[in-house]
Amino acid sequence: METIVQNIQTVPLNNYIILSSVLFVIGVLGVMIRRNAIIVFMSIELMLNAVNLLLAAFSAFRGDPAGQIFVFFIMAVAAAEVAVGLAIIVMIFRNTRSIDINFLNRLKG
Amino acid sequence: MNQSVFYLLSFMTVLFALLVVFSKNPIHSALYMVLTFFTITCHYVLLNAQFLAIVNFIVYMGAIMVLILFAMMFLNLGKDTEPQKPVLLKFAAVIAAGLLLVTIFAALKKTDGGQITGIASNNIGLVKELGKTLFRDFLLPFEIISILLLSAMVGAVLLAKRDTK
């Protein structure tokens, strides 16, 4: 384990940025092409995770623990967001009998 | 062996993330999401951020994914309940996402971060060091988070409760 971690420390920061960008773009793609509200929700979680990974990488490369504390706070806020969001989805399902997000364009008023 | 663990893990992360977006069955999507979170946890271990690895494991793979799977099974969504978007719209979405990726890479090329290698300090990700920072510099936000979680819990219960009128 020690040797693996030491080998990893030779990975350039650019690779982490590229990985996070690709993950973020996959999340954006999921939000745009799916109509199931829960899948859209999971894609948003994917984007949050991409940002978390990038923050942790920057924090580890700079030797500054504040970045990792911030990731911890993002995770707490994400947990709260998931609870409220799923409650809203359950309520939408109860009123419309579907979780198709295109059905929600009645919100235009 | 040199760095290959990172590339293998990155490949698996991207593969599972793509499977999340493109699988037809929502339950399969959720299970691939668990695998994606697991590979991200492995990334945290490799970055020597052990506290974040454990929190990611418990909160994301444990709590959040169980909540999402529970909601999915509660709503009883089969394979064929999801209507598909028109093909033209999907095509446009893929093009737009590709353009976003190209934009990010172009911005990245302007920076000179490519030379940075090596993790600066070896033990900032350990629970002891992070705990010191958390309870010295970030004590107030830490306490406010508890109020946020309480209000989120009350809000979720209030939203999901059936009207008894």
Side-chain angles (χ1 to χ4, degrees), chain A residues 79-101:
Chain A
E81 171 236 328
V82 164
V84 175
L86 282 177
I88 291 174
I89 288 177
V90 167
M91 203 179 64
I92 288 171
F93 182 77
R94 196 175 287 150
N95 286 330
T96 66
R97 309 310 298 170
S98 99
I99 52 170
D100 182 5
I101 50 169

Side-chain angles (χ1 to χ4, degrees), chain B residues 82-101:
Chain B
E82 185 186 357
Q84 294 295 314
K85 281 197 173 170
V87 179
L88 188 66
L89 224 95
K90 282 189 176 178
F91 196 63
V94 171
I95 298 244
L99 282 178
L100 177 62
L101 192 64

Side-chain angles (χ1 to χ4, degrees), chain B residues 77-115:
Chain B
L77 298 165
K79 192 180 294 182
D80 47 13
T81 50
E82 185 186 357
Q84 294 295 314
K85 281 197 173 170
V87 179
L88 188 66
L89 224 95
K90 282 189 176 178
F91 196 63
V94 171
I95 298 244
L99 282 178
L100 177 62
L101 192 64
V102 167
T103 312
I104 294 175
F105 279 6
L108 186 59
K109 262 186 88 72
K110 288 282 180 189
T111 65
D112 54 352
Q115 288 79 24

Side-chain angles (χ1 to χ4, degrees), chain A residues 35-103:
Chain A
R35 283 174 67 177
N36 185 334
I38 295 184
I39 308 281
V40 171
F41 217 70
M42 283 179 0
S43 303
I44 293 172
E45 291 298 317
L46 208 58
M47 286 194 262
L48 273 173
N49 259 287
V51 175
N52 276 353
L53 182 62
L54 191 58
L55 262 176
F58 274 134
S59 160
F61 275 84
R62 282 193 56 83
D64 183 3
Q68 301 197 3
I69 298 289
F70 205 79
V71 172
F72 176 62
F73 285 142
I74 291 176
M75 283 177 183
V77 173
E81 171 236 328
V82 164
V84 175
L86 282 177
I88 291 174
I89 288 177
V90 167
M91 203 179 64
I92 288 171
F93 182 77
R94 196 175 287 150
N95 286 330
T96 66
R97 309 310 298 170
S98 99
I99 52 170
D100 182 5
I101 50 169
N102 279 24
F103 209 61

Side-chain angles (χ1 to χ4, degrees), chain B residues 43-127:
Chain B
H43 274 297
Y44 286 144
V45 171
L46 292 180
L47 277 171
N48 219 3
Q50 299 169 7
F51 175 70
L52 283 187
I54 293 169
V55 170
N56 196 60
F57 199 86
I58 295 173
V59 172
Y60 269 109
M61 282 180 65
I64 291 184
M65 287 323 291
V66 165
L67 206 59
I68 287 179
L69 272 173
F70 183 77
M72 246 175 218
M73 292 174 177
F74 178 68
L75 301 181
N76 196 16
L77 298 165
K79 192 180 294 182
D80 47 13
T81 50
E82 185 186 357
Q84 294 295 314
K85 281 197 173 170
V87 179
L88 188 66
L89 224 95
K90 282 189 176 178
F91 196 63
V94 171
I95 298 244
L99 282 178
L100 177 62
L101 192 64
V102 167
T103 312
I104 294 175
F105 279 6
L108 186 59
K109 262 186 88 72
K110 288 282 180 189
T111 65
D112 54 352
Q115 288 79 24
I116 301 172
T117 52
I119 294 172
S121 167
N122 222 353
N123 53 0
I124 59 156
L126 306 189
V127 180

Side-chain angles (χ1 to χ4, degrees), chain A residues 10-47:
Chain A
T10 58
V11 174
L13 182 58
N14 249 354
N15 292 6
Y16 279 102
I17 301 179
I18 290 171
L19 172 65
S20 295
S21 317
V22 171
L23 267 184
F24 189 88
V25 168
I26 291 172
V28 170
L29 186 64
V31 169
M32 286 195 288
I33 70 171
R34 297 303 293 257
R35 283 174 67 177
N36 185 334
I38 295 184
I39 308 281
V40 171
F41 217 70
M42 283 179 0
S43 303
I44 293 172
E45 291 298 317
L46 208 58
M47 286 194 262

